[in-house]
């Protein structure tokens, strides 16, 4: 039997006792293939495993390639040699990565596998459920659910998942940050006029993290709304379990996600979406699924978002709200999700066959 421990990626550098060759590091997340983490990982291996004993196997699982400097700088791509396998969650970078690995004679194997969230046991059943299901299980959402039950017959539920990552502490970026939030506040006013009810859903509630906690950006946005508009906006300002998030998606008519997994969950539940993004991981996923209803934020040379036009989003919203277009987009999402699940099942089948042959 194998023992499985779940730890933060940064915590592997302090694991005690020091792992031996029977250990497998399965590292997942958007920043695993970032040069600064790869440097830390390689340094850890070099300083921890000094003798000639076999080192722990290292696999990058459910990852993306956030920046192209991994390809462009030889010292960075050499650091990928530490992985036996890399499982990319979109198709877009596979050919490029394989080409550069071959160029540097790095034997790491590259595979496509949808994001690990696609394997959640309850996604399929929840995505097929109706919006009239029983209320979320925690008492924190009881009041929220009562509001939803009252408003749902009259208004369309729109889930907005903001990302605190667009915030930068440098003073020169503060104006840009608040200009983007101003545009979103005016977007919400327009959506309320279109008989919508807005739900602000935090996907990251890391305690004490002004840079990552989405409740900070939600509050900054909420403070910009007019009093009359706030009547039709519910700001969830506490941590949600994965089950509670899935429950919420059953209520949504449409979503406007800024975060990668908020985008994925829209597909899993066949909820038409208008992603607002600046990151490569969302862009690659949208290219994978050929989803054209999105809004890319303008960025500066440091990849920090500096501009958003609410009218671009409103035009897409009006287009998707057309009944025929709306039904077509839901069918399209069902096809996409079925394809993703089929890839997961195929990989499971291949692993099972390989296991049987090894015995």
């Amino acid at each position: 039997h194998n023992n499985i421990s779940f730890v933060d990626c940064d915590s592997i550098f302090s694991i005690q006792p020091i792992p031996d060759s029977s250990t497998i590091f399965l590292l997942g997340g958007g920043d695993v293939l970032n040069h600064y983490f790869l440097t830390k990982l390689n340094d850890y291996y070099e300083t921890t495993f000094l003798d000639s004993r076999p080192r722990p196997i290292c696999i990058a699982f459910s990852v993306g390639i956030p920046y192209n400097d991994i390809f462009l700088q030889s010292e960075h791509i050499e650091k990928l040699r530490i992985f036996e396998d890399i499982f990319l969650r979109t198709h877009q970078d596979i050919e490029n990565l394989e080409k550069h690995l071959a160029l540097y004679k790095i034997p790491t194997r590259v595979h496509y596998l949808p994001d690990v969230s696609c394997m959640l046991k309850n996604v399929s059943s929840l995505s097929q459920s109706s919006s009239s299901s029983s209320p979320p299980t925690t008492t924190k959402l009881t009041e929220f659910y009562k509001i939803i039950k009252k408003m749902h017959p009259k208004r369309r539920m729109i889930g907005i998942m903001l990302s605190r990552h667009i915030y930068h502490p440098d003073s020169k970026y503060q104006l840009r940050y608040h200009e983007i939030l101003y545009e979103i506040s005016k977007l919400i006013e327009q959506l309320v006029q279109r008989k919508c009810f807005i739900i602000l859903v935090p996907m990251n509630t890391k305690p004490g993290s002004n840079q990552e906690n989405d409740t900070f950006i939600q509050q900054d946005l909420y403070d910009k709304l007019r009093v009359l508009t706030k009547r039709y906006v519910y700001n969830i300002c506490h941590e949600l379990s994965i089950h509670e998030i899935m429950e919420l998606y059953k209520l949504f008519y449409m979503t406007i996600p800024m975060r990668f997994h908020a985008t994925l969950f829209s597909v899993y539940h066949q909820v038409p979406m208008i992603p607002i993004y600046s990151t490569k991981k969302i862009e690659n996923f949208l290219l994978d699924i050929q989803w054209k209803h999105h809004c890319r934020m303008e960025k500066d040379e440091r990849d920090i978002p500096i501009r958003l036009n609410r009218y671009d989003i409103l035009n897409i919203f009006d287009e998707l709200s057309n009944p025929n277009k709306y039904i077509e987009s839901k069918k399209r999402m069902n096809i996409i999700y079925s394809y993703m699940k089929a890839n997961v099942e195929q990989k499971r089948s291949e692993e099972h066959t390989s296991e049987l042959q090894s015995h």
Side-chain angles (χ1 to χ4, degrees):
H1 295 286
N2 297 316
N3 293 322
I4 300 176
S5 299
F6 292 92
V7 297
D8 186 287
C9 279
D10 289 327
S11 300
I12 68 171
F13 309 120
S14 56
I15 289 178
Q16 294 295 330
I18 294 174
D20 58 24
S21 60
S22 66
T23 300
I24 298 177
F25 287 140
L26 197 64
L27 305 177
D31 284 334
V32 167
L33 300 189
N34 219 327
H35 68 85
Y36 66 82
F37 180 79
L38 288 173
T39 298
K40 288 173 63 177
L41 184 61
N42 277 267
D43 288 348
Y44 169 70
Y45 265 63
E46 291 301 322
T47 57
T48 305
F49 309 106
L50 299 175
D51 55 28
S52 58
R53 292 178 304 171
R55 300 176 174 187
I57 293 173
C58 202
I59 297 172
F61 180 73
S62 195
V63 298
I65 299 177
Y67 301 105
N68 287 335
D69 60 354
I70 284 292
F71 302 132
L72 301 177
Q73 299 182 34
S74 59
E75 67 269 25
H76 292 334
I77 197 165
E78 279 290 341
K79 294 168 186 171
L80 297 177
R81 199 179 291 274
I82 198 168
F83 297 113
E84 290 222 356
D85 294 271
I86 296 175
F87 290 85
L88 291 178
R89 56 192 180 188
T90 63
H91 289 282
Q92 300 304 312
D93 283 320
I94 288 181
E95 182 179 350
N96 211 2
L97 179 57
E98 288 180 331
K99 180 180 72 176
H100 283 83
L101 289 175
L103 182 65
Y104 287 87
K105 295 181 171 57
I106 298 173
T108 302
R109 297 180 293 264
V110 180
H111 319 264
Y112 165 71
L113 188 69
D115 187 79
V116 67
S117 63
C118 187
M119 304 175 196
L120 286 171
K121 188 182 297 184
N122 60 347
V123 166
S124 298
S125 60
L126 286 174
S127 64
Q128 299 303 321
S129 302
S130 68
S131 59
S132 60
S133 64
S134 58
T137 54
T138 60
T139 55
K140 287 182 178 180
L141 288 182
T142 302
E143 177 190 353
F144 165 73
Y145 186 78
K146 289 178 180 176
I147 294 174
I148 292 302
K149 291 290 284 185
K150 182 178 179 181
M151 300 300 301
H152 197 284
K154 301 176 182 178
R155 289 182 175 267
R156 297 174 292 186
M157 300 294 119
I158 308 297
I160 298 182
M161 300 81 178
L162 302 175
S163 172
R164 181 62 171 176
H165 284 148
I166 72 167
Y167 170 84
H168 195 283
D170 287 359
S171 57
K172 68 177 182 178
Y173 289 108
Q174 294 300 302
L175 178 61
R176 296 295 196 186
Y177 171 74
H178 287 286
E179 285 177 348
I180 291 174
L181 291 187
Y182 174 80
E183 284 294 300
I184 298 175
S185 72
K186 293 302 176 184
L187 166 67
I188 288 176
E189 288 182 10
Q190 293 289 321
L191 293 175
V192 167
Q193 290 177 16
R194 287 163 167 77
K195 302 298 181 183
C196 295
F197 186 93
I198 311 301
I199 305 163
L200 302 179
V201 184
M203 301 296 288
N204 186 331
T205 53
K206 186 174 182 179
S209 177
N210 187 40
Q211 286 290 103
E212 298 182 42
N213 191 323
D214 295 337
T215 62
F216 284 93
I217 187 173
Q218 288 181 190
Q219 192 59 51
D220 288 343
L221 171 63
Y222 194 76
D223 291 342
K224 295 183 185 303
L225 299 175
R226 297 188 303 172
V227 174
L228 288 177
T229 303
K230 288 180 179 179
R231 293 175 54 192
Y232 303 101
V233 178
Y234 193 92
N235 181 19
I236 300 177
C237 52
H238 59 269
E239 181 179 358
L240 298 171
S241 69
I242 185 62
H243 180 77
E244 290 166 341
I245 291 174
M246 295 299 185
E247 287 285 330
L248 288 175
Y249 268 84
K250 293 188 293 181
L251 300 171
F252 295 145
Y253 169 79
M254 199 179 296
T255 63
I256 303 176
M258 272 190 180
R259 284 200 173 272
F260 179 69
H261 284 97
T263 304
L264 289 174
F265 291 164
S266 295
V267 173
Y268 301 163
H269 291 83
Q270 290 95 64
V271 180
M273 61 180 177
I274 310 172
I276 303 173
Y277 69 97
S278 62
T279 61
K280 185 182 173 189
K281 58 186 172 183
I282 292 182
E283 180 179 33
N284 280 353
F285 179 66
L286 296 177
L287 287 170
D288 262 16
I289 67 175
Q290 298 179 6
W291 187 259
K292 296 179 172 56
H293 313 293
H294 55 80
C295 181
R296 183 186 179 108
M297 287 185 284
E298 184 179 337
K299 301 184 294 182
D300 68 1
E301 68 281 355
R302 295 179 63 184
D303 275 349
I304 298 173
I306 58 173
R307 192 168 291 108
L308 175 69
N309 187 333
R310 67 183 181 271
Y311 295 108
D312 292 340
I313 305 167
L314 280 170
N315 289 337
I316 298 172
F317 178 86
D318 290 338
E319 178 189 355
L320 277 176
S321 296
N322 175 281
N324 290 333
K325 192 72 174 179
Y326 186 80
I327 293 172
E328 177 188 324
S329 65
K330 287 180 73 70
K331 289 180 178 178
R332 170 71 182 156
M333 285 189 153
N334 188 44
I335 293 171
I336 294 165
Y337 181 44
S338 297
Y339 169 78
M340 294 173 72
K341 286 193 298 181
N343 272 274
V344 170
E345 292 305 318
Q346 179 183 355
K347 185 60 67 174
R348 281 175 175 162
S349 177
E350 290 173 357
E351 292 298 321
H352 181 63
T353 302
S354 176
E355 185 178 339
L356 290 175
Q357 290 174 347
S358 66
H359 288 299

